[in-house]
């Protein structure tokens, strides 16, 4: 694997595209997920009952027709601009569709009314190093616009690795099948011994479970391995699509 320089580690999201949502309640849930907060924490921030907030997310109650003061408190708790919300500028997650079970996310197949537990809310926007696997959740792939071709890049001296989205096929390109985005998988899993050994050598460990938060830029994202934190998060490897890096 070639040592490639990752010089741009800004968090500039310019150039990224998003998928528009049709449902206000979906925006609430997706925004909460971005903030890594549970429904209870948002309700406490807003000073409203948890049951009320759950109804806003599920669509049982329409946030747009609620009392203005309540709406403002909820949007402030979610760090959303009130005027922007009403003008539909927020497009954070995926499209939704309606089937016999109700409103579902197009790619994950999850009902928009499903509660996200503490583990998922916290860990869905982190890269995980789980024993001999590198776990990249679907949420991170969505943020970088569901790529079908990527480069794995690293800089050993600076203790970083990254994912660069590719527009065209090049040497060393890793292909992500569209099946990854079908709703069956929660992300991708990499189990290449050379790459995993490299990661552990950079973080100066032999094995174990760790997580680190990515820094996004216009090309993809970069992970600073000197920010790696030990984790007890129990991933389920069979829920993540195994990529073949051979």
């Amino acid at each position: 694997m070639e040592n490639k320089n990752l010089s741009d580690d800004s968090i500039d999201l310019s150039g990224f595209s998003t998928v528009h949502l049709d449902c206000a309640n979906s925006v609430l849930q997706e925004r909460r997920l971005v903030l890594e907060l549970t429904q209870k924490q948002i309700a406490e921030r807003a000073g409203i009952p948890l049951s009320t907030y759950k109804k806003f997310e599920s669509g049982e109650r329409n946030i747009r027709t609620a009392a203005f003061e309540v709406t403002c408190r909820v949007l402030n708790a979610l760090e959303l601009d009130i005027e922007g919300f009403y003008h539909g500028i927020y497009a954070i997650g995926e499209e939704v569709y309606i089937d016999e079970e109700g409103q579902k996310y197009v790619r994950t197949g999850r009902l928009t009314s499903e509660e996200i537990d503490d583990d998922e809310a916290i860990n869905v926007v982190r890269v995980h190093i789980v024993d001999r696997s590198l776990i990249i959740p679907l949420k991170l792939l969505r943020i970088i616009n569901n790529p079908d071709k990527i480069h794995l890049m690293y800089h050993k001296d600076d203790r970083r690795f990254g994912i660069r989205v590719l527009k065209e096929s090049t040497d060393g390109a890793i292909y992500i099948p569209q099946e990854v985005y079908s709703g069956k998988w929660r992300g991708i899993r990499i189990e290449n011994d050379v790459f995993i050994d490299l990661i552990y050598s950079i973080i100066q460990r032999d094995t174990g479970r760790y997580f680190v938060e990515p820094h996004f830029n216009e090309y993809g994202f970069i992970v600073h391995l000197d920010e790696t934190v030990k984790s007890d998060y129990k991933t389920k490897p069979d829920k993540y699509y195994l990529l073949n890096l051979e």
Side-chain angles (χ1 to χ4, degrees):
M1 187 177 297
E2 181 184 354
N3 188 3
K4 300 176 184 280
N5 185 21
L6 296 179
S7 57
D8 185 354
D9 60 354
S10 64
I11 315 178
D12 181 13
L13 285 174
S14 60
F16 280 71
S17 59
T18 52
V19 180
H20 284 274
L21 290 168
D22 296 325
C23 303
N25 58 294
S26 298
V27 173
L28 301 185
Q29 185 179 46
E30 288 294 316
R31 178 59 180 171
R32 175 171 64 81
L33 186 59
V34 168
L35 294 175
E36 303 180 12
L37 296 172
T38 63
Q39 289 184 326
K40 182 179 179 181
Q41 288 171 313
I42 293 297
E44 290 173 348
R45 278 188 172 195
I48 63 174
L50 174 59
S51 59
T52 299
Y53 181 74
K54 284 185 174 182
K55 289 177 181 178
F56 287 142
E57 273 202 9
S58 69
E60 186 177 341
R61 287 188 61 184
N62 189 340
I63 186 70
R64 297 180 186 277
T65 59
F68 182 70
E69 181 184 355
V70 173
T71 299
C72 289
R73 292 210 303 264
V74 170
L75 296 182
N76 284 333
L78 290 163
E79 300 175 21
L80 291 169
D81 176 74
I82 296 170
E83 183 178 359
F85 178 82
Y86 276 97
H87 283 86
I89 69 167
Y90 290 103
I92 299 165
E94 336 178 71
E95 292 180 85
V96 295
Y97 70 95
I98 298 177
D99 66 7
E100 62 275 7
E101 294 184 65
Q103 292 179 335
K104 281 188 174 181
Y105 290 113
V106 169
R107 293 188 176 87
T108 64
R110 187 176 60 198
L111 288 167
T112 60
S113 59
E114 285 182 7
E115 166 65 320
I116 295 171
D117 62 28
D118 290 0
D119 265 0
E120 187 172 3
I122 292 171
N123 289 287
V124 76
V125 288
R126 293 170 171 172
V127 173
H128 301 272
I129 304 152
V130 181
D131 298 321
R132 304 299 299 173
S133 298
L134 180 72
I135 301 288
I136 301 173
L138 188 64
K139 180 70 177 182
L140 297 186
L141 297 176
R142 293 213 310 263
I143 290 173
I144 57 176
N145 202 30
N146 305 324
D148 59 3
K149 294 179 290 294
I150 61 173
H151 260 161
L152 273 180
M153 311 175 73
Y154 72 95
H155 195 300
K156 190 168 184 179
D157 292 340
D158 288 347
R159 306 183 69 191
R160 292 182 290 170
F161 84 84
I163 283 183
R164 184 184 183 95
V165 176
L166 300 175
K167 301 297 183 183
E168 299 178 355
S169 299
T170 63
D171 290 343
I174 297 169
Y175 295 89
I176 301 178
Q178 284 302 301
E179 181 185 354
V180 169
Y181 307 110
S182 67
K184 177 181 178 181
W185 306 99
R186 295 185 63 180
I188 59 176
R189 176 167 51 104
I190 297 170
E191 293 186 350
N192 179 275
D193 284 340
V194 173
F195 185 68
I196 298 299
D197 286 341
L198 172 68
I199 295 297
Y200 277 121
S201 70
I202 293 175
I203 64 176
Q204 300 178 345
R205 298 288 190 276
D206 294 321
T207 186
R209 295 171 175 265
Y210 304 91
F211 72 80
V212 62
E213 297 182 11
H215 300 267
F216 295 96
N217 57 44
E218 60 183 307
Y219 307 109
F221 63 77
I222 294 169
V223 172
H224 297 263
L225 290 170
D226 53 0
E227 299 174 357
T228 304
V229 178
K230 191 171 183 180
S231 173
D232 293 327
Y233 181 55
K234 302 298 190 297
T235 57
K236 296 180 179 178
D238 61 334
K239 298 294 184 181
Y240 293 83
Y241 187 95
L242 178 60
L243 286 183
N244 184 2
L245 270 60
E246 300 300 331

